[in-house]
Amino acid sequence: MEHKAPEYFLSLWKLASSSRLMAMLHGGWGEGGTEGSQGQFPLTQNVTVVEGGTAILTCRVDQNDNTSLQWSNPAQQTLYFDDKKALRDNRIELVRASWHELSISVSDVSLSDEGQYTCSLFTMPVKTSKAYLTVLGVPEKPQISGFSSPVMEGDLMQLTCKTSGSKPAADIRWFKNDKEIKDVKYLKEEDANRKTFTVSSTLDFRVDRSDDGVAVICRVDHEALNATPQVAMQVLEIHYTPSVKIIPSTPFPQEGQPLILTCESKGKPLPEPVLWTKDGGELPDPDRMVVSGRELNILFLNKTDNGTYRCEATNTIGQSSAEYVLIVHDVPNTLLPTTIIPSLTTATVTTTVAITTSPTTSATTSSTRDPNALAGQTGPDHALIGGIVAVVVFVTLCSIFLLGRYLARHKGTYLTNEAKGAEDAPDADTAIINAEGSQVNAEEKKEYFI
C-alpha cells in the first residue's frame, strides 16, 4: 500500500487542480470571475476537547458553486478532500460532506493533536479558514503525603497534595470539617512533555484533640473534569492525654441515701480503668463504697463520708484527674399535719352551782365533744377543749363569788334600816316605841328588792 501512496496523492492533486480550473472557467476571468467568487467564504470554529475524547471539525460555505472543500492538520497534511480520505489514520472519520459543508471527527484525541487545522475552499484564489483544536490534559487523581499516624496533640503537621498531567495547570483547594483553608502554599511545574503541569499544595497547621477523626480533603478543580472535582482524603488520628470529669447522681446528697459518682474520662488511647481515692488515701469503707468500672457507688451515706473524692485516669500519653467535694446533708424533719377545728365544731359546757351555808362550794362540770370531730384527733384537740373548759369554769366561779358577796351585803343593809330609830332611845320602852314608829313609817316607805 505504501508504494501506491504517491499515486494517491497525485490523483488528489489533479482533482484539486481540476477543481481550481473549473472554478476559473465557471467564474470567468476579470471582473466577472471576481463577482463569481464573491460570497464564497469557508467558516470554521475553534474546538476544545478533553484528552481521550472526540473532536468534530466543521467547515461551512453559505454560497458554493460546486467548489471543493479540504481539511488539513497542523502539519499541513490533507485529512479529507471533499468525501475522499487522504490521511490513513483510523481515528479520523467523515461526518458529513456536501458542497456547503465538510465535517470530520477525530477520536481518542491526544495532546499531540492540538494545533491549528485549516479548511480550504478551492476558488481562485484559494480561500481558507483556521480552526484551533485545544486538547485539555486531565489531572491525575491527587495524592496526600506527609501524614504519619499517630500524631501527638500540639505537634505541627505538614500535608502535601500533588497532581500531575493537567493542561492547563489545575487548581488545588484544602478543606477541613467542610471549611476551606486559605493559608496554603501553591507550586506549579511543567512536565517533561512541555505540555502538561504538575501542581502541588502544602498545608501547615498545629493539631489538637478536636482534630482527632477529622477528614482533611484535598480537592482538584479543572475544566477537563466537567464540574466533578477529584478529591483525596486523609483522616487524622491524634493522641492526647485524658480529660476527666466527675458527675454525681444527685446534686443534693442526703444522709441515708445512695450516691453514684461517675468518672467521665476521654482520651486517646482510651484511658485505663480509673482510680478512686478519698482525701488522698484509699476508700475507707470498701463494703459500702463499691467501685464498678468508672463508677463509685456509695450504698448509703452518713456524715463520715464527707470529704474530697478524686478520680484519676491514665493512658500512654499522660495522666489527668478530677475532684469532687462531698457534703452529706441532714434529712429534713417531717412535720406532722396540724389539725384545724372546723368552724362548725362547737363545745357545750353545762355548769351546776349549789350554794349552802357551808363555806365549801362544789361545782360539777360536763362537756360534750363535737360528734363531727375526726377520730384521729388526739393531742391538739384535747388541749384546745380543755383550755376552753378551764376558762368557762374560771369565769363561772368568779361570777358565783361576786354574786354571793353582793347578796350578803344587801341583806345586812336591810336589817340596819329596820332598827333605825331605836339606837338613840334612853330606855327600852322608848326604843320599842321608836321601833314601832319605824314600822309605821316603813309601811309608808316600802323598799323593794328585786
Side-chain angles (χ1 to χ4, degrees):
M1 295 296 295
E2 292 183 359
H3 64 279
K4 293 183 180 181
E7 297 179 359
Y8 180 76
F9 286 110
L10 181 59
S11 62
L12 287 177
W13 181 83
K14 290 179 179 179
L15 182 61
S17 299
S18 63
S19 298
R20 294 189 186 97
L21 180 59
M22 291 298 294
M24 288 187 292
L25 292 176
H26 181 77
W29 292 96
E31 186 176 349
T34 304
E35 290 178 356
S37 62
Q38 286 180 352
Q40 299 185 37
F41 296 99
L43 301 175
T44 59
Q45 289 183 336
N46 295 333
V47 177
T48 299
V49 65
V50 177
E51 183 180 12
T54 300
I56 305 295
L57 300 175
T58 300
C59 180
R60 291 189 176 90
V61 179
D62 292 336
Q63 300 178 11
N64 190 4
D65 49 2
N66 300 334
T67 304
S68 297
L69 292 172
Q70 171 186 289
W71 270 113
S72 57
N73 62 14
Q76 294 303 314
Q77 295 174 318
T78 301
L79 303 179
Y80 263 90
F81 186 86
D82 287 336
D83 59 350
K84 298 177 177 57
K85 188 174 184 179
L87 186 64
R88 297 182 182 278
D89 189 336
N90 294 331
R91 299 180 304 129
I92 303 174
E93 299 291 340
L94 178 65
V95 177
R96 180 180 176 83
S98 68
W99 295 115
H100 297 283
E101 178 183 340
L102 179 61
S103 296
I104 63 174
S105 66
V106 182
S107 60
D108 194 18
V109 176
S110 64
L111 295 174
S112 60
D113 293 324
E114 185 176 82
Q116 186 170 269
Y117 289 73
T118 304
C119 174
S120 301
L121 176 64
F122 287 96
T123 59
M124 283 299 294
V126 177
K127 296 176 182 178
T128 61
S129 179
K130 308 292 185 182
Y132 196 89
L133 176 62
T134 302
V135 180
L136 301 178
V138 181
E140 298 176 358
K141 184 176 178 59
Q143 300 291 332
I144 296 178
S145 61
F147 178 77
S148 58
S149 181
V151 180
M152 302 303 167
E153 183 179 23
D155 287 354
L156 182 64
M157 178 177 291
Q158 185 177 86
L159 300 179
T160 300
C161 180
K162 180 182 289 187
T163 179
S164 302
S166 60
K167 178 182 173 295
D171 184 28
I172 296 180
R173 301 165 68 185
W174 288 95
F175 294 86
K176 186 174 74 169
N177 278 340
D178 296 329
K179 183 178 180 180
E180 185 174 2
I181 304 173
K182 295 290 188 179
D183 189 15
V184 296
K185 300 176 183 177
Y186 184 83
L187 179 63
K188 178 178 70 175
E189 297 177 341
E190 194 175 49
D191 292 336
N193 58 15
R194 305 185 66 82
K195 292 181 179 292
T196 58
F197 296 89
T198 296
V199 181
S200 62
S201 179
T202 302
L203 171 64
D204 296 324
F205 65 100
R206 195 169 299 276
V207 300
D208 57 29
R209 63 185 60 197
S210 64
D211 293 322
D212 183 53
V214 170
V216 177
I217 296 176
C218 162
R219 192 176 86 180
V220 176
D221 294 322
H222 194 269
E223 55 185 307
L225 299 176
N226 295 324
T228 305
Q230 292 184 347
V231 297
M233 182 175 65
Q234 178 64 61
V235 179
L236 304 182
E237 182 181 0
I238 312 299
H239 283 193
Y240 53 93
T241 57
S243 61
V244 182
K245 181 171 64 174
I246 297 178
I247 304 175
S249 59
T250 174
F252 193 79
Q254 295 180 357
E255 191 171 8
Q257 294 182 347
L259 177 66
I260 298 177
L261 299 180
T262 302
C263 182
E264 187 180 88
S265 60
K266 297 179 181 179
K268 197 164 187 181
L270 190 66
E272 301 172 359
V274 298
L275 175 64
W276 285 98
T277 59
K278 180 191 176 187
D279 296 330
E282 296 181 354
L283 299 177
D285 192 348
D287 294 334
R288 284 191 311 112
M289 301 179 177
V290 181
V291 177
S292 176
R294 302 181 184 279
E295 295 182 350
L296 172 60
N297 190 353
I298 304 176
L299 300 182
F300 53 89
L301 295 171
N302 57 49
K303 294 291 186 179
T304 62
D305 296 330
N306 290 340
T308 301
Y309 291 80
R310 183 184 180 91
C311 167
E312 294 183 358
T314 305
N315 63 7
T316 56
I317 308 302
Q319 180 182 8
S320 185
S321 63
E323 293 183 347
Y324 174 78
V325 178
L326 173 61
I327 299 177
V328 180
H329 300 271
D330 295 329
V331 178
N333 293 328
T334 304
L335 297 177
L336 294 175
T338 303
T339 303
I340 300 176
I341 299 177
S343 59
L344 297 178
T345 302
T346 59
T348 304
V349 179
T350 303
T351 304
T352 303
V353 179
I355 301 176
T356 62
T357 56
S358 175
T360 305
T361 303
S362 63
T364 303
T365 306
S366 65
S367 64
T368 303
R369 288 192 63 188
D370 183 9
N372 295 327
L374 297 177
Q377 298 174 352
T378 55
D381 294 343
H382 290 300
L384 182 59
I385 295 174
I388 295 174
V389 172
V391 171
V392 173
V393 171
F394 176 75
V395 172
T396 304
L397 292 176
C398 290
S399 301
I400 293 172
F401 175 76
L402 293 175
L403 181 61
R405 185 174 179 182
Y406 175 77
L407 293 176
R409 284 186 178 183
H410 185 73
K411 184 177 182 181
T413 303
Y414 180 78
L415 295 174
T416 302
N417 289 333
E418 286 181 346
K420 193 180 238 182
E423 353 180 322
D424 298 331
D427 50 29
D429 294 332
T430 303
I432 292 172
I433 294 171
N434 291 338
E436 292 176 353
S438 300
Q439 291 178 356
V440 174
N441 294 333
E443 293 178 359
E444 298 176 357
K445 292 183 181 180
K446 293 183 180 181
E447 185 175 345
Y448 296 93
F449 172 74
I450 296 176

